[in-house]
Amino acid sequence: MRIGLLLLVLVLVAACQSDTMKSSIEKGYDFSPLRTYQWVSPGDAGIDGLSAADRQLARGISRIVSEEFEKRGYVREEREPDFLVLVAATTQRGSRKGGRSTGGRARTGLSGGSFDYREGTILIRAWERERRILIWECWSREPIRESRPPTEEELDARVRRMMARFPAE
């Protein structure tokens, strides 16, 4: 009995410490016309106060996201992209301005509300540029510390798992 209880506790603890990844898609949105994208800075999306380590981490993530978009035929366009993309990451704990998933309801603008995060939160969001509708977002929470950033291989695998949730044409 005691061994069974101990095993149950260990399984629950392991489950609580595992990577958590969630994504949402704007219900009924047609992604097929989208061909071009452009980056949005966290500050422009209302996410403030990221550390230098967080910004460096986000640059590495952006490189991987770009590669995934290119594989799917999307092209980066400065002037009038079809959709805007935000990448944010944090090695700290707290909350940030910037919005929360709306559960499939249309949300306009590039910011709004706030979201709570733990160490190791990575957030990728995409908005339709013209109507400013949040069309897709994915976040992943996994331990990342400033003192021990993920290896390139770990970060690469994690972000590619996130991007696998981006809708195909």
Side-chain angles (χ1 to χ4, degrees):
M1 175 71 175
R2 285 186 147 178
I3 293 175
L5 184 58
L6 179 61
L7 286 174
L8 178 62
V9 169
L10 289 174
V11 168
L12 290 174
V13 168
C16 291
Q17 294 178 343
S18 66
D19 175 45
T20 302
M21 187 177 299
K22 301 232 183 218
S23 62
S24 65
I25 299 171
E26 175 62 28
K27 188 175 182 177
Y29 188 82
D30 180 11
F31 284 77
S32 63
L34 302 179
R35 298 285 176 249
T36 60
Y37 72 96
Q38 179 56 288
W39 297 109
V40 173
S41 74
D44 290 342
I47 299 174
D48 305 310
L50 297 174
S51 71
D54 294 344
R55 289 190 303 272
Q56 182 175 347
L57 182 60
R59 281 191 292 275
I61 294 165
S62 296
R63 177 190 54 77
I64 299 165
V65 171
S66 287
E67 290 173 6
E68 288 297 311
F69 279 147
E70 288 173 17
K71 285 181 189 176
R72 298 169 187 217
Y74 295 110
V75 177
R76 186 170 172 198
E77 167 65 44
E78 298 270 338
R79 296 189 57 211
E80 292 190 17
D82 297 323
F83 65 104
L84 304 170
V85 179
L86 165 74
V87 169
T90 185
T91 56
Q92 302 166 16
R93 180 183 299 264
S95 62
R96 295 269 190 259
K97 284 176 52 182
R100 183 183 308 253
S101 173
T102 59
R105 294 184 309 273
R107 181 173 38 165
T108 60
L110 296 183
S111 64
S114 65
F115 66 94
D116 294 322
Y117 61 89
R118 295 191 314 246
E119 297 92 344
T121 299
I122 296 174
L123 173 68
I124 306 171
R125 286 185 171 158
W127 292 268
E128 180 190 293
R129 181 190 57 85
E130 193 170 297
R131 295 184 295 165
R132 303 283 184 176
I133 295 173
L134 181 64
I135 56 175
W136 178 82
E137 70 180 339
C138 185
W139 59 261
S140 172
R141 291 183 181 145
E142 186 174 296
I144 294 178
R145 305 282 190 279
E146 283 185 89
S147 61
R148 194 232 172 255
T151 65
E152 283 189 36
E153 294 81 15
E154 291 168 336
L155 185 61
D156 189 86
R158 182 172 167 192
V159 174
R160 291 188 196 282
R161 282 193 318 270
M162 293 175 74
M163 290 302 296
R165 294 176 176 224
F166 190 84
E169 293 182 23

